């Protein structure tokens, strides 16, 4: 990509330059990446702190991704009435409120106030993603929209890496090392004392990110957004006609389904890599805490691969159609998950780490393909794609129920559980293939 190409992907034909807004909005991509990946390890942490099953711990993801689902459509309506900028500001505000709600949640000593805090937090993330993704697509010519979104999304895993790093070093490493089995033998008073000490550790990073969000809110409020964006966001207020057009658009309609399954694959792989790895490393003689820490390090390596692959995928889009790359990457993820399920051991966990390299370009590519020809319906179309993030909640809960069975078909249930993301990659592959065939026919 030469310098001229870099500049042009942020400029429209009529000369509107979106480079500065793009930089600020890209910061939001990193911020919601942080929230996503500081949260994934919390399924295991909350299960231990509150002495719960994996299924109960997975309610963290249900609350987290439930907020995305519940608020995506209201966010789209808000954006259509006001602007992308105001949608981003409201998102940052809700995100900050949810993070700071961890203080009173910890004071109660109960699990469910944390779920409420996660829900409020992700209502904010829903506003952010519903605003930021179509905004980035609009920041230049339509022909470079998918590349532009992939470039912006490349900074999302940087935030994710920060979230994983914080989870590992400032939460998991500092929690009481007592194993789940040992905690089960504690008296009521002993358990409460350890629980409160652990909760006081868990909330600190969330309070810190809440303070950071307040600062970003102020910075975003001061940035001037080109007026053209406000005008574009108020086109086509007839909701019924908008929904009809979207539902009649096959690439969009199938894109929402593909996004549901892709997000499910992403979140299940990143959430349960800890359960998968912990089992393997404990069989090798590690304690539960050491095994968890080692598994989380591998999760960070997976995110590094994801981040590097995102930039590589964005570059490859100069030479290959996005839909074709999507199918190729889905095939790679599918094959590695077969190893994870049927081979197991160190080879299985390393294959699970490698899956992240193939997931890297999927979210923005599905997003860009689905919104590629919706034009003035982008805000509502974006809401549908954000609502599809519910897949991270539904499919994570499904995989957790499989893991809790202990053993399935004479195999470790945690191994068998990865059939859930395996099926997800099949759906993504089919969407990439169908999208490629449709775009080739049009060409």
């Amino acid at each position: 990509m030469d310098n001229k190409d870099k500049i042009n992907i942020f400029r429209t034909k009529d000369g509107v330059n979106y480079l500065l807004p793009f930089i600020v909005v890209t910061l939001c991509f990193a911020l919601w990446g942080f929230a996503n990946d500081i949260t994934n390890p919390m399924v295991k942490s909350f299960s231990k702190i509150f002495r719960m099953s994996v299924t109960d711990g997975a309610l963290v993801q249900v609350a987290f991704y439930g907020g995305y689902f519940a608020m995506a459509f209201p966010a789209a309506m808000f954006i259509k009435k006001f602007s992308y900028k105001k949608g981003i500001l409201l998102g940052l505000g809700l995100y900050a409120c949810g993070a700071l709600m961890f203080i009173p949640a910890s004071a109660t000593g109960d699990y469910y106030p944390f779920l409420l805090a996660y829900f409020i937090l992700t209502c904010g993330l829903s506003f952010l993603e519903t605003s930021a993704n179509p905004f980035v697509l609009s920041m230049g010519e339509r022909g470079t929209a998918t590349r532009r979104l992939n470039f912006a999304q490349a900074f999302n895993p940087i935030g994710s890496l920060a979230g994983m790093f914080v989870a590992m070093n400032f939460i998991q490493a500092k929690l009481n090392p007592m194993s789940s089995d040992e905690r089960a033998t504690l008296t009521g008073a002993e358990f409460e004392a350890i629980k409160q000490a652990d909760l006081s550790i868990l909330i600190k990073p969330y309070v810190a990110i809440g303070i950071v969000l307040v600062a970003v809110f102020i910075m975003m409020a001061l940035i001037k957004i080109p007026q053209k964006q406000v005008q574009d966001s108020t086109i086509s207020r007839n909701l019924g006609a908008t929904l009809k057009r979207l539902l009649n658009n096959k690439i969009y309609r199938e894109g929402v389904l593909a996004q549901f399954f892709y997000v499910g694959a992403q979140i299940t792989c990143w959430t349960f890599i800890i359960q998968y790895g912990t089992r393997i490393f404990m069989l090798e003689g590690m304690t539960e805490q050491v095994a968890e820490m080692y598994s989380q390090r591998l999760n960070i390596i997976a995110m590094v691969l994801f981040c590097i692959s995102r930039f590589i995928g964005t570059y490859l889009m100069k030479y290959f159609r996005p839909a074709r790359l999507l199918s190729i990457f889905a095939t790679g993820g599918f094959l590695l998950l077969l190893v994870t399920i049927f081979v197991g051991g160190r080879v299985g966990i390393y294959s699970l780490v490698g899956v992240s390299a193939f997931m890297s370009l999927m979210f923005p590519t599905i997003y860009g393909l689905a919104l590629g020809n919706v034009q003035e319906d982008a805000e509502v179309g974006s809401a549908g794609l954000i609502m599809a993030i519910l897949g991270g909640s539904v499919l994570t809960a499904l995989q957790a129920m499989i893991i809790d069975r202990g053993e399935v078909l004479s195999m470790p249930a945690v191994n068998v559980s990865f059939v859930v993301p395996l099926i997800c990659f099949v759906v993504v592959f089919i969407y990439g293939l169908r999208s490629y065939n449709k775009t080739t026919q049009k060409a």
Side-chain angles (χ1 to χ4, degrees), residues 251-420:
I251 292 181
Y252 173 78
R253 188 175 66 234
E254 293 173 6
V256 172
L257 182 65
Q259 200 72 290
F260 177 92
F261 282 97
Y262 163 65
V263 175
Q266 175 185 296
I267 302 307
T268 54
C269 287
W270 289 348
T271 297
F272 296 120
I273 190 174
I274 294 178
Q275 276 80 1
Y276 189 96
T278 298
R279 176 186 172 277
I280 290 170
F281 299 131
M282 287 183 69
L283 288 174
E284 294 180 357
M286 296 183 188
T287 64
E288 184 178 18
Q289 186 183 38
V290 173
E292 287 177 9
M293 293 292 292
Y294 199 88
S295 299
Q296 181 62 5
R297 289 192 186 100
L298 290 178
N299 212 2
I300 291 177
I301 293 172
M303 183 54 64
V304 171
L305 287 175
F306 183 91
C307 184
I308 294 171
S309 181
R310 176 68 64 78
F311 284 104
I312 293 172
T314 302
Y315 176 77
L316 290 175
M317 284 183 184
K318 290 182 65 177
Y319 307 102
F320 299 95
R321 291 177 184 263
R324 171 174 280 185
L325 280 177
L326 183 64
S327 290
I328 293 171
F329 276 47
T331 301
F334 177 88
L335 294 174
L336 286 178
L337 279 177
L338 286 177
V339 177
T340 297
I341 295 169
F342 294 107
V343 177
R346 290 257 179 168
V347 174
I349 188 68
Y350 295 151
S351 294
L352 183 54
V353 169
V355 169
S356 290
F358 292 101
M359 294 194 295
S360 61
L361 59 71
M362 290 184 181
F363 184 92
T365 301
I366 294 170
Y367 203 105
L369 290 171
L371 291 186
N373 62 346
V374 302
Q375 299 177 14
E376 73 270 19
D377 300 326
E379 293 87 355
V380 177
S382 175
L385 288 160
I386 298 303
M387 290 175 76
I389 289 175
L390 184 68
S393 169
V394 174
L395 298 177
T396 300
L398 175 61
Q399 187 166 349
M401 287 188 284
I402 297 173
I403 292 173
D404 275 333
R405 293 181 66 87
E407 186 175 291
V408 177
L409 300 174
S410 300
M411 293 175 61
V414 68
N415 287 42
V416 177
S417 73
F418 281 92
V419 73
V420 174

Side-chain angles (χ1 to χ4, degrees), residues 58-92:
L59 289 176
V60 168
Q61 299 290 41
V62 173
F64 193 92
Y65 292 98
Y68 271 109
F69 179 82
M71 200 54 62
F73 195 75
M77 296 299 96
F78 180 90
I79 295 163
K80 286 178 72 66
K81 185 175 181 180
F82 297 102
S83 67
Y84 290 130
K85 178 178 179 178
K86 290 182 180 178
I88 290 171
L89 287 172
L90 183 55
L92 288 168

Side-chain angles (χ1 to χ4, degrees), residues 33-292:
F34 179 91
N36 277 271
D37 287 281
I38 193 177
T39 302
N40 291 335
M42 294 305 101
V43 171
K44 179 70 172 177
S45 296
F46 275 113
S47 295
K48 180 185 289 188
I49 291 171
F50 287 99
R51 296 194 296 196
M52 301 182 300
S53 67
V54 177
T55 301
D56 288 334
L59 289 176
V60 168
Q61 299 290 41
V62 173
F64 193 92
Y65 292 98
Y68 271 109
F69 179 82
M71 200 54 62
F73 195 75
M77 296 299 96
F78 180 90
I79 295 163
K80 286 178 72 66
K81 185 175 181 180
F82 297 102
S83 67
Y84 290 130
K85 178 178 179 178
K86 290 182 180 178
I88 290 171
L89 287 172
L90 183 55
L92 288 168
L94 288 170
Y95 183 176
C97 287
L100 295 174
M101 281 177 63
F102 272 61
I103 298 174
S106 177
T108 68
D110 292 328
Y111 180 46
Y112 293 102
F114 285 99
L115 300 183
L116 177 60
Y118 275 120
F119 182 81
I120 298 299
L121 185 154
T122 49
C123 284
L125 299 187
S126 187
F127 265 90
L128 283 179
E129 294 209 36
T130 304
S131 304
N133 284 294
F135 187 18
V136 167
L137 289 173
S138 73
M139 290 180 175
E141 296 306 308
R142 188 178 302 171
T144 59
T146 301
R147 279 176 57 203
R148 190 163 50 250
L149 184 58
N150 268 277
F151 184 67
Q153 286 274 1
F155 292 88
N156 175 264
I158 295 175
S160 295
L161 280 170
M164 288 181 173
F165 179 83
V166 169
M168 183 177 72
N169 292 284
F170 295 95
I171 297 179
Q172 291 172 303
K174 295 187 177 183
L175 294 179
N176 191 295
M178 187 173 290
S179 70
S180 299
D181 292 339
E182 291 171 330
R183 289 171 188 248
T185 65
L186 296 174
T187 65
E190 291 171 335
F191 170 68
E192 285 298 320
I194 290 177
K195 182 181 72 175
Q196 286 298 331
D198 282 346
L199 289 178
S200 67
I201 292 169
L202 184 145
I203 69 170
K204 290 178 182 177
Y206 286 92
V207 174
I209 194 62
I211 296 170
V212 170
L213 287 164
V214 172
V216 176
F217 179 96
I218 295 171
M219 182 172 65
M220 185 67 194
L222 298 176
I223 293 293
K224 184 177 179 181
I225 304 295
Q227 186 65 25
K228 181 179 182 295
Q229 179 272 319
V230 179
Q231 294 167 351
D232 284 348
S233 70
T234 59
I235 295 174
S236 183
R237 295 180 183 276
N238 189 328
L239 181 59
T242 297
L243 291 174
K244 184 177 180 179
R245 284 192 297 270
L246 289 171
L247 291 174
N248 287 333
N249 186 319
K250 287 186 178 180
I251 292 181
Y252 173 78
R253 188 175 66 234
E254 293 173 6
V256 172
L257 182 65
Q259 200 72 290
F260 177 92
F261 282 97
Y262 163 65
V263 175
Q266 175 185 296
I267 302 307
T268 54
C269 287
W270 289 348
T271 297
F272 296 120
I273 190 174
I274 294 178
Q275 276 80 1
Y276 189 96
T278 298
R279 176 186 172 277
I280 290 170
F281 299 131
M282 287 183 69
L283 288 174
E284 294 180 357
M286 296 183 188
T287 64
E288 184 178 18
Q289 186 183 38
V290 173
E292 287 177 9

